[in-house]
Amino acid sequence: DAGVIQSPRHEVTEMGQEVTLRCKPISGHDYLFWYRQTMMRGLELLIYFNNNVPIDDSGMPEDRFSAKMPNASFSTLKIQPSEPRDSAVYFCASSLRMSYGYTFGSGTRLTVV
Amino acid sequence: QQPVQSPQAVILREGEDAVINCSSSKALYSVHWYRQKHGEAPVFLMILLKGGEQKGHEKISASFNEKKQQSSLYLTASQLSYSGTYFCGTVNSGNTPLVFGKGTRLSVIA
């Protein structure tokens, strides 16, 4: 298995632009999670899906953030408009069951200038 | 509720042992441990379920004290490859996602 695949690996964008991060989970995993990592706050859960359905998006910082999972093999996290404080590493992770270990993707390092 | 990890950082010489602690203010259902190397993704090490079990992974093992709401990660005879940031992730009830601590940076030097 290729693991969890995220794209792009790096993204540099100007403030106000729309940013879309992509994730392909491991086939057969029922759960997909989006985390954001910063030095100050560590790994924060933004949203998670179970069988493509969003379960808890209370971690999404603002309405500028949205996430979708149109099918079992693809998810997107969109920021519109982007701001410098959104700069962070965004990880997607998937898991077979909620109580199992998570497999993380390589992350997307987002820089908003 | 974010778990608290200690210490924040530790430096070891090869062959030395280390203990990393993770504590929660709420009752725990399970504890996960992950290691992240610089510029890479966190990698799953092990999971401990309530019941006070202890698990091992080569020379890395962990314990879970349900009553104290704590878990400890033990690294014995450390190797250079053990360097990285170790995160605990806690689950407070059976069907909730992981909440991660802020991590413990471990540096092993020759």
Side-chain angles (χ1 to χ4, degrees), chain A residues 101, chain B residues 18 32-35 37 43-48 53-63 72-79 81-82 86:
Chain B
H32 296 214
W33 286 96
Y34 292 77
R35 177 172 63 205
K37 293 187 178 285
V43 174
F44 173 71
L45 294 177
M46 66 188 78
I47 181 172
L48 299 102
E53 66 177 289
Q54 185 156 350
K55 297 187 78 169
H57 184 269
E58 296 179 347
K59 294 180 182 176
I60 301 175
S61 62
S63 63
S72 295
L73 186 71
Y74 307 94
L75 299 102
T76 58
S78 59
Q79 305 168 12
S81 62
Y82 286 2
Y86 289 78

Side-chain angles (χ1 to χ4, degrees), chain A residues 11-30:
Chain A
E11 178 79 41
V12 180
T13 191
E14 291 186 346
M15 183 173 63
Q17 295 298 306
E18 178 180 298
V19 176
T20 299
L21 311 181
R22 296 171 176 79
C23 174
K24 176 179 168 55
I26 291 175
S27 177
H29 280 196
D30 290 343

Side-chain angles (χ1 to χ4, degrees), chain A residues 9 31 33 35 37 39-43 45 48 56 91 98-107 109, chain B residues 2 29 32 34 36 39-44 47 49 87 91 94-102 105:
Chain A
R9 286 297 307 273
Y31 289 86
F33 308 87
Y35 282 87
Q37 186 174 39
M39 288 294 292
M40 290 297 294
R41 301 170 74 96
L43 277 160
L45 178 67
Y48 78 97
D56 184 355
F91 285 104
M98 181 68 91
S99 58
Y100 286 28
Y102 296 5
T103 301
F104 283 80
S106 299
R109 181 174 295 275
Chain B
Q2 188 175 45
Y29 177 83
H32 296 214
Y34 292 77
Q36 183 179 32
E40 299 180 8
V43 174
F44 173 71
I47 181 172
L49 301 175
F87 293 94
V91 177
N95 210 35
T96 55
L98 285 176
V99 178
F100 286 95
K102 289 197 171 181
R105 180 174 292 181

